Amino acid sequence: MEITVSARHTDVSAALREAVEEKIGRLSRFLEGMDRAEVHFTEERNPRIAAKEVCEVTLEGHGHHVRCKVAAADGFAAIDAAVDKLEHQLHKLKTKVVGRRHGGRRNGRHADDLDADGVLATLVDDGAVDDDVADDTPRIVKTKKHALKPMTPEEAMLRLDLVEHDFWFFTNAETGRSAVLYRRADGDLGLIDEAG
């Protein structure tokens, strides 16, 4: 597995880098084909926050993205917490993928039919923030390009769980129109379909 370690506002020691490569490298045993991992450390600047070290991990492979973000008192504790969370997510993903393969076709699609093109988001961080904008005015600070691929709302639920976001934008295979699956305040999910 190719592992990239980066940091912002903090230093990654050689020992932490070795621990990251060892622990993240072991995650490939949960699901074959996870061939790339990006690990990013940041440090919270607020002195009132005890869990200052934030660790974001994104795993990619075979058309799947699995992402987690955790915070802890130090980098070693953060990577341990991230690995625990990722193990759970990878087990959940493997169970669903294997269930689809052994359970036959569901909604006319098979897990092997999914390709990496268009299934998942391609993230682009412009990094450009206009400092001239007034502080009380909301501003766009990050832009993401998202290739849409038709999928059922059930597949979108799986993707939403894996990336740990509050919404997932996709093309609804049942209607052929754009749709958003979002997490509601009560814990359930909502589906918004484009009118047509």
Side-chain angles (χ1 to χ4, degrees):
M1 179 183 295
E2 176 190 336
I3 301 171
T4 306
V5 180
S6 61
R8 184 175 179 182
H9 303 301
T10 188
D11 292 323
V12 177
S13 67
L16 180 57
R17 189 175 297 272
E18 286 178 27
V20 166
E21 290 174 358
E22 174 195 341
K23 292 178 181 191
I24 297 296
R26 285 188 297 183
L27 291 174
S28 62
R29 74 176 191 258
F30 285 93
L31 188 65
E32 292 293 322
M34 298 309 266
D35 53 5
R36 216 173 115 227
E38 293 180 12
V39 182
H40 185 72
F41 290 96
T42 56
E43 183 177 345
E44 292 290 339
R45 300 262 174 140
N46 187 339
R48 292 182 284 181
I49 297 176
K52 289 183 181 241
E53 289 292 325
V54 178
C55 177
E56 292 183 60
V57 181
T58 304
L59 298 174
E60 299 175 11
H62 279 296
H64 299 288
H65 271 60
V66 180
R67 179 184 172 276
C68 80
K69 182 177 182 178
V70 295
D74 63 62
F76 291 97
I79 195 64
D80 287 341
V83 167
D84 288 344
K85 204 170 194 181
L86 287 168
E87 284 177 356
H88 175 73
Q89 290 177 323
L90 288 171
H91 177 71
K92 186 175 177 181
L93 175 62
K94 183 176 183 177
T95 302
K96 290 188 179 188
V97 169
V98 169
R100 285 183 188 158
R101 284 187 184 143
H102 293 283
R105 293 187 174 262
R106 219 167 89 173
N107 295 332
R109 304 200 53 189
H110 195 275
D112 291 334
D113 294 340
L114 299 176
D115 62 359
D117 297 330
V119 173
L120 301 167
T122 302
L123 304 181
V124 177
D125 186 357
D126 292 338
V129 176
D130 189 2
D131 292 331
D132 297 334
V133 178
D135 289 341
D136 58 345
T137 305
R139 55 195 172 147
I140 299 172
V141 296
K142 190 169 190 174
T143 302
K144 294 183 180 183
K145 295 193 184 279
H146 186 79
L148 298 179
K149 175 153 181 151
M151 64 179 65
T152 64
E154 290 77 21
E155 288 173 304
M157 278 193 324
L158 172 64
R159 304 286 183 198
L160 181 68
D161 286 342
L162 293 176
V163 296
E164 293 187 337
H165 288 302
D166 292 328
F167 67 94
W168 183 258
F169 186 53
F170 65 104
T171 299
N172 191 337
E174 296 169 356
T175 64
R177 294 189 287 272
S178 298
V180 176
L181 185 70
Y182 65 95
R183 196 170 311 280
R184 296 168 40 98
D186 62 6
D188 289 330
L189 299 175
L191 178 66
I192 300 173
D193 249 331
E194 178 185 9

